[in-house]
């Protein structure tokens, strides 16, 4: 007896979703996204502002894009994500649709519905596609888990009241507690 095959979805299927329905596509599977909470959006706004302020003050060339912002990680049409915050330093990756290739730095704010996705599925995806730095900001646990894939180092965990050094920028750190 033949096994039933899972349907493989593409970016075309993501664009065919009804207006207002947000979803991500990872390895051909669609993952619906729950609407973010007020605290989630507050953190996204404050983190984005702090990162952009640092880039502007230093005359940096990177750009900060909060969600919803399309990121096409591979040259295939099986992966499409909308990280909470994407920092892109190679402007050749940007076009009118979004980012084609891996952002340099991705930040995800964990919500109860995204916990497994952020810590497992996206972590694997981001590590395999060239993201340099990945932060998982977890308000429930009041900690941030940092992955620096280029350095091939173990993940680091910082409590919200600690200064977190940003590896892709010299002399820049963020304290999440100061934003709350």
């Amino acid at each position: 007896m033949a096994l039933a095959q899972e349907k493989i979805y593409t970016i075309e299927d993501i664009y065919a979703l009804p207006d207002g329905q947000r979803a991500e596509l990872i390895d051909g599977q669609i993952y619906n996204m729950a609407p973010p909470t007020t605290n989630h959006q507050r953190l996204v706004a404050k983190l984005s502002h702090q990162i952009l302020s640092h880039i502007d003050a230093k005359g940096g060339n990177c750009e900060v894009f909060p969600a919803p912002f399309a990121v096409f990680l591979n040259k295939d049409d099986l992966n499409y994500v909308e990280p909470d915050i994407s920092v892109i330093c190679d402007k050749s990756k940007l076009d009118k649709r979004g980012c084609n290739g891996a952002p340099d730095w991705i930040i995800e704010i964990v919500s109860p519905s995204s916990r497994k996705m952020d810590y497992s599925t996206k972590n694997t995806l981001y590590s395999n596609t060239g993201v340099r730095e990945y932060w998982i900001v977890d308000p429930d646990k009041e900690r941030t888990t940092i992955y620096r894939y280029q350095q091939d180092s173990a993940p680091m965990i910082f409590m919200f009241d600690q200064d977190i050094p940003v590896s892709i920028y010299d002399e820049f750190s963020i304290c999440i507690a100061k934003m709350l």
Side-chain angles (χ1 to χ4, degrees), residues 36 56 62 65 73 78 88 107 132:
D56 287 347
C62 302
F65 295 93
L73 288 166
L78 302 177
I88 296 118
I107 300 174
R132 292 169 54 196

Side-chain angles (χ1 to χ4, degrees), residues 91-151:
K91 293 188 183 190
S92 72
K93 292 181 180 180
L94 298 171
D95 66 17
K96 66 181 181 176
R97 292 186 332 152
C99 178
N100 297 290
D104 294 273
W105 180 16
I106 288 178
I107 300 174
E108 296 283 9
I109 313 295
V110 174
S111 62
S113 64
S114 73
R115 181 168 299 285
K116 182 179 179 188
M117 179 70 74
D118 293 337
Y119 278 101
S120 180
T121 307
K122 286 186 176 180
N123 184 20
T124 301
L125 180 67
Y126 296 157
S127 72
N128 290 334
T129 55
V131 172
R132 292 169 54 196
E133 186 162 347
Y134 175 40
W135 288 23
I136 304 171
V137 178
D138 194 331
D140 287 346
K141 297 187 184 284
E142 295 187 5
R143 70 179 186 203
T144 302
T145 305
I146 311 293
Y147 294 89
R148 295 185 174 141
Y149 302 125
Q150 272 191 326
Q151 297 172 5

